[in-house]
Amino acid sequence: EPEVTQTPSHQVTQMGQEVILRCVPISNHLYFYWYRQILGQKVEFLVSFYNNEISEKSEIFDDQFSVERPDGSNFTLKIRSTKLEDSAMYFCASSLNEQFFGPGTRLTVL
Amino acid sequence: GEDVEQSLFLSVREGDSSVINCTYTDSSSTYLYWYKQEPGAGLQLLTYIFSNMDMKQDQRLTVLLNKKDKHLSLRIADTQTGDSAIYFCAEGHGNTPLVFGKGTRLSVIA
């Protein structure tokens, strides 16, 4: 069964460093998303992407964040200068209708 | 803004039925979802229901939707220890960002 995959599963970085989180959505899906979950809290929407552009973004998704679909399969989330409060689980999702989530990348900012 | 509320904890004995409840505020939601999250893992789509339905059954899972009260429930029949996880209710409109509840931690006692 097709699934969303994410790499790496765990990323540790120093404050101020740039990180890129990678996702491979389900191949025939058209909509792509990033969500995050701070430990013990709700899953929060960051950004959605359709037709090679951002379709919607939340207040969390500020200038430090960017997304790209560099080729036909990958979908990336870049955080330019990480802060301690960026530590969270980051989930990628894709959809045609219902949204399927990847296993997440746990980002730890030290 | 839109909000989804769930009780935080539920404890049941193995073999009993579990009922996890959720309320939401957005009356225009078209999709209502249940996701399961096991420790350290991603979000597994368990089931979803369209807003024009009252009930959906899928093996041991039964979803009931009361649109008037904006109340959604997930019933797990014959609950097993492997069902222990956090269950998230989420609402959306197809390919729009999902709004999640805080999750209900289900503990199954053997």
Side-chain angles (χ1 to χ4, degrees):
Chain A
E1 189 173 318
E3 57 184 18
V4 178
T5 59
Q6 290 185 243
T7 53
S9 56
H10 193 180
Q11 172 97 44
V12 181
T13 190
Q14 295 289 328
M15 196 168 55
Q17 295 295 304
E18 175 184 285
V19 294
I20 297 176
L21 310 182
R22 300 178 195 280
C23 169
V24 179
I26 294 173
S27 61
N28 64 334
H29 284 185
L30 301 176
Y31 298 82
F32 314 111
Y33 314 81
W34 284 101
Y35 292 81
R36 79 170 185 193
Q37 185 184 30
I38 294 172
L39 188 64
Q41 296 187 25
K42 281 190 186 189
V43 178
E44 302 171 289
F45 167 72
L46 292 177
V47 65
S48 57
F49 195 85
Y50 170 72
N51 202 25
N52 286 318
E53 60 184 24
I54 290 174
S55 49
E56 201 167 338
K57 60 183 180 179
S58 72
E59 289 174 355
I60 303 166
F61 193 86
D62 61 22
D63 293 343
Q64 293 299 311
F65 292 89
S66 61
V67 289
E68 239 188 1
R69 189 152 160 80
D71 52 45
S73 58
N74 289 285
F75 179 52
T76 62
L77 174 70
K78 183 194 288 187
I79 309 174
R80 258 179 275 283
S81 177
T82 48
K83 307 192 229 0
L84 294 176
E85 54 265 36
D86 293 327
S87 294
M89 187 77 115
Y90 288 81
F91 292 108
C92 173
S94 69
S95 68
L96 271 180
N97 293 298
E98 60 273 16
Q99 292 184 30
F100 291 87
F101 283 72
T105 294
R106 183 170 297 284
L107 176 65
T108 302
V109 182
L110 301 176
Chain B
E2 298 145 2
D3 197 18
V4 176
E5 295 287 339
Q6 301 177 240
S7 52
L8 295 181
F9 300 99
L10 177 67
S11 184
V12 298
R13 293 204 174 274
E14 195 174 16
D16 289 350
S17 291
S18 309
V19 179
I20 303 171
N21 294 301
C22 167
T23 57
Y24 59 97
T25 56
D26 186 357
S27 56
S28 64
S29 296
T30 50
Y31 284 76
L32 294 140
Y33 298 83
W34 285 104
Y35 288 89
K36 176 184 180 183
Q37 186 180 37
E38 296 183 64
L43 295 165
Q44 176 196 352
L45 177 61
L46 274 184
T47 187
Y48 63 94
I49 189 168
F50 295 111
S51 59
N52 62 357
M53 297 167 68
D54 298 324
M55 186 181 95
K56 181 177 179 181
Q57 187 150 6
D58 184 1
Q59 299 181 340
R60 292 191 296 123
L61 304 179
T62 304
V63 179
L64 295 177
L65 175 60
N66 181 328
K67 273 197 79 172
K68 178 174 160 291
D69 295 338
K70 299 195 200 76
H71 182 266
L72 182 74
S73 68
L74 173 70
R75 180 176 178 270
I76 305 172
D78 186 26
T79 314
Q80 303 297 307
T81 53
D83 295 324
S84 293
I86 300 177
Y87 290 80
F88 289 94
C89 172
E91 58 91 10
H93 303 259
N95 293 305
T96 60
L98 298 183
V99 177
F100 282 82
K102 285 187 177 177
T104 299
R105 184 180 294 275
L106 174 65
S107 298
V108 182
I109 306 161

